[in-house]
Amino acid sequence: MTTVFIVDDHDLFRAGVRSELADDLVIVGDASQVLPAIEMIRERQPDLVLVDVHMPDGGGRAVITGVHSTHPDILFLAISASDAPEDVVATVRAGARGYVTKTVSPDDLADAIRRVVDGDAVFSPKLAGFVLDAFSAMDVKDLDPDLDKLTKREREVLQHIARGYTYREVGEQLYISAKTVENHMSAVLRKLQLSNRRELTRWAQDRDLI
Amino acid sequence: MEQRSTALEPTLLWIITGYRIFAAGWLSILGAVAVAGEATDVDKPGIVVGTIALVLVWAGATTALRVLRPAATATWWLVGLDLLISCWSVVAGEFAGTIQFAGGYPLVGAFTAIYVYGWAGGILGATALTATGIGRVISESHSAAQDVANSIAHLFSVGAAAGVAAALRTSERRRDAAETALEQERADRIRAEEHAEMAAHLHDSVLQTLALIQRDSAATPDIRGLARHQERELRAWLFPDQGSGAAVAGGFKESLVNVCSEIEDLGDAHIEAVVVGDSAAAVEPIVRAAREAILNASKHAGVDAVSVYGEVADGEVLIFIKDRGVGFDPAAVPESRQGIRESIISRMDRHGGSAEIVSEPGAGTEVRLRLPTGDA
């Protein structure tokens, strides 16, 4: 069974998620602080870490970066009560394979975890919107077309996800297989993580300042 | 004159009062020497004695006034009376038939005028003293050189006093202004810090709790709706700039998000709104049509969530409203159903846009709206 580790500084939330997921998944531990979390994750090596975006001492980003420096194979799914785009995009860029809000239903959360473990990128409609916004805001000049631009198909897939379609439904709408949809989303995730850092930083700053 | 409770103004007042007491004593000694001394012969010693009595009483009266009613110092009649007595002290010796015995007393009137009226008071005082001095020179032929020297000394002293008072006051004003600005800045910073701290705290406690309530399957839809509403309000208050991103005031994004919030507050369903890009173009028709579609979905689809996606593309704006509810057969909607026909389809047609309704019973509904904006 899939092993999961929970990092969140809210006891109530950790306890709630633990009991909700206990039926389908094995919770191998939880932590409320960044540094203990990194140590425990390295020690227990779960399949996936559910990590809160907002925490003292660097938040989910610090946990992801710390673990990935020694264990690049451990997967991360970001979760947060806040929808601030710059925080979410920054966490995904640090290496999270997806993002869900804390209002997600237990079933959807379990589903999202399974999909990340299966190798998919999990994009909520909100995250799809953020990504579309971020890429369309990038300056056209000095772009690496392979990394800094979405293909027409990738945009279409993102738009459908932002409209509320599931991967399977997107496939039906666009006459492609669900697997192809997943591949497109993985490509988008890779671009988001690797693309022109300066431009995305500027996008985040612009949002922050206005 | 706007005065703050600084130390400068009372200090100036006490310098003048101190000088007045000193000058009154000086005048009394000079007068006494003139009357009692053997070097000169005084025609009318009564005038000398009277003048001494006048300046002593006046000094006592004004000092008492300064202690008891400081505000009364600045009245015009008091300044006028002070100047008059000062001018009298200049010519008193003449009327008494002796040498001048005013000493430095005449300057007191001018100083008071400077204190109350600034430079204007200085000019007034200098004019009065000089005019009196000149009058004396013209009426009498003897000791003219002494009178001219006195007048020049008066002019110089008054000018210097007015200059010093003005400089002191200017620097005081600047310091006050700087202090006020500093206090304001400090207050603003403290307020901003308190707000940030409270925001962090509420974010960590209340927002988390509201999120937990929303995902609690045991809570009734009403409770979850309430938690959603509270979360949105709190979020808007905590992070007024967030979520709107580079929003155009009154533009597409703001209008659409406002409509979604408004309908969500009716409590029927959670409206998940995602908006990409923004436009200041006239988007009212499409937002109104979208409002109708969102309202339909939240009221009639029988679901607790509706997805709304808005996008500003090249030369057009798009809005998609999707639910996973009961659905219906669009072809079977009766003519009388004004909501869909009039408010959505006809409205989009009239404004050069289009509306497409994709639905079938049991498979949910998606309304797709499209409006050209002209700006590519």
Side-chain angles (χ1 to χ4, degrees):
Chain A
M1 260 219 290
T2 303
T3 51
V4 175
F5 191 96
I6 304 167
V7 186
D8 193 302
D9 55 334
H10 296 90
D11 301 343
L12 207 55
F13 185 82
R14 286 203 313 276
V17 171
R18 246 178 187 279
S19 68
E20 284 162 12
L21 299 181
D23 296 341
D24 308 319
L25 305 158
V26 181
I27 312 293
V28 294
D30 60 50
S32 61
Q33 288 173 315
V34 170
L35 291 178
I38 294 173
E39 264 181 44
M40 289 168 76
I41 293 167
R42 281 176 180 162
E43 187 188 302
R44 300 182 191 182
Q45 305 203 7
D47 296 322
L48 178 139
V49 179
L50 187 64
V51 65
D52 191 9
V53 171
H54 294 276
M55 279 187 299
D57 303 323
R61 268 158 89 184
V63 179
I64 297 173
T65 319
V67 171
H68 273 179
S69 66
T70 53
H71 295 80
D73 295 337
I74 294 178
L75 299 167
F76 284 86
L77 176 62
I79 188 163
S80 112
S82 154
D83 284 334
E86 52 275 10
D87 297 336
V88 173
V89 169
T91 309
V92 172
R93 280 171 63 78
R97 300 279 303 166
Y99 163 71
V100 291
T101 62
K102 281 195 176 171
T103 52
V104 68
S105 74
D107 289 346
D108 287 349
L109 178 60
D111 183 50
I113 290 174
R114 256 191 304 274
R115 280 160 59 199
V116 170
V117 171
D118 287 348
D120 291 343
V122 170
F123 278 59
S124 64
K126 212 134 220 161
L127 179 58
F130 292 162
V131 173
L132 281 168
D133 231 357
F135 277 95
S136 67
M138 281 203 273
D139 209 341
V140 181
K141 64 178 189 308
D142 57 56
L143 287 187
D144 179 346
D146 290 338
L147 283 182
D148 297 340
K149 263 178 83 105
L150 300 174
T151 65
K152 188 164 171 291
R153 206 46 151 180
E154 286 162 357
R155 282 188 63 84
E156 278 175 346
V157 171
L158 275 174
Q159 278 162 344
H160 277 83
I161 289 168
R163 278 158 66 178
Y165 286 90
T166 63
Y167 283 14
R168 186 180 52 77
E169 289 167 338
V170 174
E172 285 165 10
Q173 291 284 322
L174 298 177
Y175 307 107
I176 52 180
S177 72
K179 193 67 217 161
T180 311
V181 174
E182 282 163 11
N183 290 342
H184 282 308
M185 292 318 293
S186 293
V188 170
L189 187 74
R190 199 164 52 246
K191 286 183 181 179
L192 188 66
Q193 289 170 348
L194 297 179
S195 73
N196 193 318
R197 184 165 289 273
R198 189 167 53 80
E199 288 292 336
L200 269 181
T201 308
R202 189 191 297 160
W203 169 80
Q205 281 169 349
D206 283 351
R207 295 191 65 101
D208 211 22
L209 287 176
I210 290 165
Chain B
M1 191 185 350
E2 193 200 334
Q3 283 193 16
R4 283 165 53 87
S5 57
T6 62
L8 178 65
E9 297 300 325
T11 304
L12 287 178
L13 203 51
W14 281 114
I15 288 173
I16 294 169
T17 307
Y19 182 78
R20 180 193 299 282
I21 292 167
F22 162 74
W26 182 2
L27 181 142
S28 303
I29 292 166
L30 289 177
V33 168
V35 173
E38 291 162 4
T40 53
D41 196 19
V42 182
D43 296 340
K44 295 169 183 167
I47 291 181
V48 179
V49 175
T51 305
I52 291 171
L54 177 66
V55 298
L56 287 177
V57 168
W58 183 243
T62 50
T63 305
L65 190 67
R66 237 132 262 195
V67 174
L68 300 174
R69 303 259 321 268
T73 311
T75 52
W76 65 268
W77 55 269
L78 207 122
V79 174
L81 210 54
D82 210 0
L83 269 176
L84 216 56
I85 294 170
S86 292
C87 290
W88 167 256
S89 75
V90 174
V91 294
E94 201 64 35
F95 286 110
T98 180
I99 55 157
Q100 207 180 349
F101 60 93
Y105 188 83
L107 289 172
V108 169
F111 288 169
T112 308
I114 290 169
Y115 171 73
V116 179
Y117 299 117
W119 280 107
I123 291 166
L124 177 71
T127 309
L129 292 182
T130 311
T132 312
I134 289 169
R136 212 176 107 97
V137 173
I138 292 167
S139 68
E140 277 297 328
S141 51
H142 73 87
S143 74
Q146 179 65 37
D147 286 327
V148 170
N150 276 345
S151 290
I152 290 171
H154 286 162
L155 273 178
F156 181 78
S157 306
V158 171
V164 168
L168 283 174
R169 280 176 173 156
T170 305
S171 79
E172 184 77 355
R173 252 198 315 278
R174 285 201 189 121
R175 215 187 64 194
D176 282 352
E179 264 176 20
T180 309
L182 201 68
E183 273 168 26
Q184 181 66 40
E185 193 193 296
R186 193 177 301 142
D188 287 350
R189 204 183 53 231
I190 289 173
R191 210 172 300 132
E193 276 170 7
E194 279 173 352
H195 186 270
E197 201 173 308
M198 193 190 292
H201 174 73
L202 291 177
H203 179 270
D204 257 27
S205 54
V206 183
L207 279 184
Q208 297 278 345
T209 308
L210 291 172
L212 282 177
I213 293 172
Q214 287 174 58
R215 62 197 301 277
D216 179 5
S217 49
T220 66
D222 279 357
I223 297 290
R224 287 204 296 271
L226 198 62
R228 219 153 42 217
H229 173 78
Q230 289 298 323
E231 183 198 336
R232 205 177 51 242
E233 277 197 346
L234 184 60
R235 204 184 281 285
W237 182 80
L238 289 178
F239 316 106
D241 305 329
Q242 226 173 55
S244 56
V248 179
F252 174 65
K253 186 176 241 173
E254 192 180 305
S255 315
L256 186 56
V257 168
N258 284 346
V259 161
C260 292
S261 306
E262 178 208 333
I263 296 174
E264 187 169 275
D265 278 350
L266 298 177
D268 294 310
H270 170 46
I271 316 293
E272 176 152 36
V274 176
V275 186
V276 171
D278 203 358
S279 166
V283 292
E284 206 197 331
I286 193 172
V287 173
R288 276 171 171 265
R291 184 181 184 283
E292 198 64 36
I294 300 167
L295 205 54
N296 273 337
S298 84
K299 281 214 178 304
H300 305 301
V303 289
D304 35 83
V306 176
S307 301
V308 176
Y309 174 68
E311 183 183 340
V312 178
D314 289 345
E316 61 181 7
V317 288
L318 312 168
I319 302 179
F320 299 86
I321 300 99
K322 181 173 165 58
D323 68 68
R324 297 176 175 282
V326 292
F328 60 94
D329 180 0
V333 174
E335 289 288 335
S336 58
R337 279 283 299 279
Q338 283 295 305
I340 286 178
R341 265 191 217 297
E342 185 50 35
S343 301
I344 301 178
I345 300 174
S346 301
R347 175 179 273 133
M348 294 312 295
D349 281 350
R350 275 203 303 279
H351 291 92
S354 66
E356 189 188 350
I357 296 167
V358 182
S359 182
E360 56 183 278
T365 304
E366 186 175 50
V367 177
R368 302 165 181 172
L369 307 173
R370 187 179 298 265
L371 184 75
T373 53
D375 51 15

